[in-house]
Amino acid sequence: MSTNQPFRWVDKQSELDELAVELASCGAVGWDTEFHRERSYHPHLALVQVAWPDGIALIDPLVLDLTSLAPVLKDTVSVLHASDQDITILERSCGTAPAVLFDTQVAAGFLGMSSPSLASLVERFVGVRLAKGHRLADWAHRPLSEGECRYAADDVAHLLELHATITGRLGDKGRLQWALDECEMLLQRDRSTQDPETAWWRMKDSRALRGDSRAVAQAVAAWRERRAERLDIPPRFVLSDMALTNIAQRKPTKATDLEGIRGLDRRQLGGAAEELLEAVRAGLKMSPEQVRLPTMDEGERGQRAGVTLASAWVAQLGRDLGIDPALLATRSDVVGFLRGAQSSRLSNGWRHELVGEPVRRLVSGEAALAFDGDNLVLEDRAK
């Protein structure tokens, strides 16, 4: 069911510049993007949707310079849903990320909803059921159909209403600042491209490699990452993970050694065989100190029982408070906190008092978990 709110198509630079001035005077602007990255290294932006109190616009980034939207991102509250990828794309396309973010998915987590879809939020808080027919449309083709445009407009049509409703409910519960802090943390997340020297960590079998196979995996994966970025294609189009694992284990150093390596498509490799072999040879020359090893959860190993108990209590606390437990603390948050990392989300702010301090007391033995028949209860231990 479409909301049928009117929208305008913007594909002239003068129209976009005028719209940007109008948007910059608003207190809040709803944003969404449509992009493709199935066959590219970087996402390719195909459409930008904006909503403000007076309307909805669909902006064509294929023919426009979007940097005129930078003042809008700097001077207004940017309302998005599940914004992580959108933030990266807007920053790349407009030259800046939002200065102030309100993510409706994140904020709804503080009302007890676990990673809700936009459609579920709109249906719950607005009473409108959004259509899903064009979710997998090719947004880069032109002209877009009326149905595709309508679908894209619906993705932003209710963001400002959701912003107002969720903000009000969070305020009533005394949790608005928690949500705003979480959105700020999302903005501060590192979105730099993959470090080529640690790209091998993403291999399915990376932790099973030993000795100089790790060094070869690091060197070849780094070569794959750089080549993929240069050609703007997914790394798997350069070399499959299966081939990468087999190369790390077999360590080919000349062209004939590449024969029979499972998963290696010589046609896909093209004329880069010598580059690949040079990466293998570079890996074999690396000293053990040059190998970047994946972070091992030694702290979790030493306190596995405590981490497990703490995680169970966090899940119970989330149910008790009506907050998505993942917003209170993830398992890695607990591990980092118990290691003493000041960067842990449990070391500072509202989470420290609500979650961090009770977790500390539990693991130190000052408190214990009990089961009252229905729920886990954190109780002080008798001294």
Side-chain angles (χ1 to χ4, degrees):
M1 171 174 141
S2 173
T3 56
N4 290 318
Q5 293 189 31
F7 61 86
R8 57 169 140 154
W9 179 264
V10 178
D11 61 1
K12 293 181 174 57
Q13 194 65 45
S14 59
E15 294 178 357
L16 178 62
D17 295 343
E18 291 175 3
L19 175 62
V21 173
E22 181 178 357
L23 294 176
S25 66
C26 299
V29 174
W31 296 82
D32 190 31
T33 65
E34 305 295 345
F35 58 90
H36 299 293
R37 67 177 313 163
E38 295 85 0
R39 303 185 65 83
S40 64
Y41 187 86
H42 295 293
H44 288 190
L45 181 61
L47 190 67
V48 175
Q49 306 101 286
V50 293
W52 69 107
D54 294 329
I56 298 171
L58 307 183
I59 300 168
D60 188 355
L62 303 185
V63 297
L64 296 174
D65 177 2
L66 301 187
T67 56
S68 59
L69 291 172
V72 184
L73 292 166
K74 291 178 180 178
D75 298 336
T76 67
V77 176
S78 296
V79 183
L80 297 100
H81 182 85
S83 63
D84 200 30
Q85 293 189 83
D86 296 301
I87 293 169
T88 300
I89 292 167
L90 289 172
E91 186 169 18
R92 284 176 56 85
S93 303
C94 303
T96 185
V100 181
L101 171 70
F102 188 90
D103 188 310
T104 55
Q105 184 180 73
V106 170
F110 289 94
L111 297 176
M113 303 180 71
S114 180
S115 299
S117 67
L118 176 64
S120 65
L121 287 184
V122 171
E123 186 168 5
R124 175 170 176 172
F125 293 124
V126 184
V128 171
R129 182 172 297 176
L130 297 180
K132 301 179 181 180
H134 297 283
R135 185 170 59 88
L136 299 178
D138 177 7
W139 297 105
H141 85 90
R142 296 293 184 268
L144 295 176
S145 70
E146 176 67 23
E148 289 167 336
C149 289
R150 181 70 269 159
Y151 174 91
D154 283 351
D155 275 350
V156 293
H158 304 287
L159 286 177
L160 297 184
E161 186 173 356
L162 287 177
H163 173 236
T165 300
I166 294 173
T167 295
R169 296 197 180 195
L170 288 172
D172 292 342
K173 291 180 174 290
R175 298 174 184 173
L176 177 58
Q177 193 58 51
W178 295 1
L180 297 179
D181 289 348
E182 191 68 14
C183 290
E184 176 62 23
M185 290 177 65
L186 182 58
L187 274 181
Q188 299 306 319
R189 183 178 297 171
D190 182 11
R191 291 183 175 80
S192 56
T193 56
Q194 169 74 47
D195 180 356
E197 302 305 319
T198 61
W200 75 282
W201 296 359
R202 300 201 309 263
M203 293 169 54
K204 179 181 178 181
D205 299 317
S206 63
R207 292 181 183 270
L209 297 175
R210 294 292 182 268
D212 55 5
S213 290
R214 289 175 165 177
V216 172
Q218 176 174 315
V220 175
W223 166 79
R224 179 178 73 165
E225 198 74 22
R226 293 188 178 99
R227 181 172 173 80
E229 184 171 18
R230 185 170 70 250
L231 299 177
D232 194 23
I233 59 177
R236 69 181 185 279
F237 284 13
V238 176
L239 195 68
S240 71
D241 270 8
M242 178 186 291
L244 179 51
T245 299
N246 288 329
I247 287 168
Q249 292 172 336
R250 293 177 57 172
K251 310 172 189 64
T253 58
K254 54 184 184 296
T256 55
D257 295 339
L258 295 176
E259 299 297 333
I261 290 182
R262 189 178 177 189
L264 179 61
D265 186 338
R266 296 295 294 269
R267 295 168 300 175
Q268 188 179 49
L269 192 59
E274 184 53 36
E275 290 183 18
L276 168 59
L277 293 170
E278 182 56 37
V280 174
R281 291 191 285 266
L284 291 172
K285 294 177 183 177
M286 291 171 60
S287 66
E289 293 74 24
Q290 292 176 297
V291 179
R292 301 274 295 277
L293 298 178
T295 302
M296 302 297 289
D297 292 332
E298 299 296 340
E300 183 173 354
R301 288 179 182 177
Q303 297 179 307
R304 185 164 292 169
V307 171
T308 299
L309 284 174
S311 298
W313 175 74
V314 168
Q316 180 67 61
L317 181 63
R319 291 190 292 271
D320 293 343
L321 297 178
I323 296 177
D324 181 0
L327 287 173
L328 293 176
T330 63
R331 189 177 182 92
S332 61
D333 288 330
V334 174
V335 171
F337 177 69
L338 295 179
R339 284 177 177 166
Q342 288 303 305
S343 59
S344 169
R345 296 195 301 173
L346 303 188
S347 298
N348 304 284
W350 61 269
R351 282 189 182 85
H352 178 70
E353 181 179 353
L354 185 65
V355 183
E357 180 58 20
V359 164
R360 183 199 65 76
R361 292 172 49 239
L362 174 64
V363 174
S364 68
E366 298 174 30
L369 284 179
F371 189 64
D372 67 0
D374 295 309
N375 302 302
L376 288 174
V377 179
L378 188 67
E379 298 178 338
D380 288 330
R381 294 186 66 185
K383 296 184 179 180

